[in-house]
Amino acid sequence: MYKVIGLAFDGCQATGLTSPFDVFNVVNSIWKQTRGEDDTLYECQLASRDGGWVSCSNGMRIMADVSFAQMPEADLIVIPGIHHLDVRSLLKRLAQLDEETQWLSQYIQRGIPIAANCSGVFLLGDAGGLVGKRATTAWWLGKAFSSRYPAVEHCPDTMLVNDQGAYTSGSMTANLGAMLALVEQQVGRHLAQSAARNMLIDAAQSTASPYIFMQESSDHQDSLVLAIESQLQRDVSHKLCLQTLASGHGVSVRTLSRRFKAANGISVADYQQQLRFEQTKLLLETTSLSLEQVVERVGYASPSSLRRLFQKALGESPSHYRKRVQQKGAH
């Protein structure tokens, strides 16, 4: 039997605990069904400072099974995300989780695998569990992560990283993939794949590149430009009209263009083209849509114009790019 301990603390994201536990519960059910026995593969418990009630960020209250002082045996520790409004509030909350950090460090010293999700990866980093390893986190926290943990190889373009027992994920769905990766490693691929089919989980590693571009381009405080960026991101296929865009935000075309260029270093039109290009790459990487369907969804004039753009930007055709990236992801 494998023992899974979820780390619970005030302000944690409940999904970061309940979803992994659901995965292990499904694995248990499949295991029992296929063996015809009442064996349990995974036993899941929650641990908190005092073993009492914990208030999650969504208002849910959960009761821990054990306290830190009991130091339960574990084959895996699960760290949920930490509720925060911005990087400053996240760092402030981390400073208040010193007991959690010390508790985690003891399991790190024992070599126990630890899975951390989104902002929870920072807690694993503070506990020393990522030194000399590769890791990922939520895309909007990438710069803060790299700055805080220079001894960690940040993988910003990847949603799920497994390096020497440190499973880090940059999204809720990737966190489920991390659990399935652990199941595959511990009890075999067949059981992991059965659980993935049962829960409709795509356990394939995915990219975060379009979101990274948005993070980099939004590293400013101009409220007008942020609103324009948000509008463009919601519908990359929308035909751009600067006059309509400016009027909708109560400014002139000249003011909009000047402030956008000052904030991002590129024009509104170039920004939209970058959004479209990144969205196109994502669709080629993660779907089986035809080139014509991709063109229609993203808003390019024609397949031939997209081919010319890819050849100019990447030196290859869209079909070659799709084949190359998908082959790379299969290894």
Side-chain angles (χ1 to χ4, degrees):
M1 179 188 296
Y2 296 96
K3 296 198 67 172
V4 180
I5 304 296
L7 173 57
F9 49 86
D10 288 338
C12 69
Q13 294 177 335
T15 308
L17 294 171
T18 58
S19 293
F21 282 19
D22 284 340
V23 170
F24 293 122
N25 183 54
V26 169
V27 170
N28 281 338
S29 297
I30 296 173
W31 175 258
K32 293 176 182 179
Q33 186 178 34
T34 55
R35 289 175 61 90
E37 301 175 9
D38 199 30
D39 293 344
T40 296
L41 265 179
Y42 290 95
E43 178 185 337
C44 300
Q45 290 186 317
L46 293 176
S48 69
R49 290 186 178 189
D50 59 5
W53 288 97
V54 168
S55 297
C56 300
S57 60
N58 62 0
M60 179 186 297
R61 285 174 55 79
I62 54 178
M63 171 67 84
D65 300 289
V66 293
S67 68
F68 289 173
Q70 294 173 266
M71 283 302 293
E73 292 297 321
D75 298 293
L76 170 68
I77 304 294
V78 175
I79 305 175
I82 304 167
H83 179 66
H84 62 283
L85 299 176
D86 50 31
V87 172
R88 181 179 299 178
S89 65
L90 172 60
L91 299 183
K92 181 179 179 180
R93 185 69 184 109
L94 280 169
Q96 300 167 345
L97 296 174
D98 54 327
E99 290 187 39
E100 284 74 12
T101 301
Q102 294 172 19
W103 182 78
L104 280 171
S105 66
Q106 297 179 64
Y107 286 98
I108 292 169
Q109 292 169 12
R110 297 181 188 179
I112 303 300
I114 299 179
N117 179 231
C118 292
S119 51
V121 178
F122 280 68
L123 193 53
L124 180 56
D126 276 10
L130 296 175
V131 176
K133 299 179 182 179
R134 295 178 301 110
T136 191
T137 186
W139 63 268
W140 64 89
L141 295 172
K143 290 184 178 180
F145 184 82
S146 296
S147 175
R148 189 174 179 87
Y149 309 109
V152 180
E153 182 183 343
H154 180 214
C155 302
D157 195 35
T158 305
M159 290 288 194
L160 172 60
V161 175
N162 168 21
D163 192 354
Q164 304 174 60
Y167 294 79
T168 55
S169 53
S171 70
M172 292 292 187
T173 51
N175 194 32
L176 300 180
M179 300 306 109
L180 291 173
L182 279 156
V183 171
E184 179 176 339
Q185 181 176 333
Q186 292 173 336
V187 295
R189 173 170 294 186
H190 178 73
L191 192 55
Q193 290 179 335
S194 296
R197 286 194 298 269
N198 185 287
M199 302 182 74
L200 298 180
I201 298 173
D202 181 3
Q205 185 170 313
S206 57
T207 179
S209 55
Y211 308 101
I212 295 166
F213 161 68
M214 287 190 283
Q215 177 201 24
E216 292 173 346
S217 64
S218 300
D219 191 19
H220 58 80
Q221 301 300 318
D222 191 317
S223 58
L224 169 65
V225 177
L226 288 170
I228 297 295
E229 290 172 355
S230 178
Q231 184 175 340
L232 294 173
Q233 291 164 13
R234 285 195 297 270
D235 185 7
V236 297
S237 65
H238 185 73
K239 188 174 182 180
L240 180 65
C241 175
L242 278 179
Q243 183 61 61
T244 302
L245 201 59
S247 298
H249 291 272
V251 296
S252 66
V253 170
R254 182 177 180 181
T255 296
L256 186 153
S257 300
R258 175 178 54 79
R259 288 175 61 175
F260 199 96
K261 183 70 176 288
N264 288 321
I266 58 175
S267 68
V268 178
D270 287 342
Y271 179 86
Q272 186 183 51
Q273 285 302 312
Q274 288 191 34
L275 280 178
R276 285 179 172 175
F277 191 63
E278 293 300 333
Q279 181 66 20
T280 299
K281 287 164 61 180
L282 180 64
L283 291 174
L284 291 172
E285 293 168 14
T286 61
T287 75
S288 58
L289 293 174
S290 67
L291 191 59
E292 289 74 16
Q293 290 172 314
V294 171
V295 166
E296 181 179 359
R297 183 170 297 191
V298 177
Y300 283 113
S302 65
S304 59
S305 65
L306 180 58
R307 291 190 186 96
R308 287 194 297 271
L309 179 62
F310 258 73
Q311 197 64 45
K312 181 179 180 180
L314 302 178
E316 60 184 340
S317 67
S319 59
H320 186 272
Y321 173 82
R322 167 179 270 169
K323 183 178 180 180
R324 176 174 61 81
V325 172
Q326 291 182 346
Q327 284 179 339
K328 181 180 178 182
H331 295 299

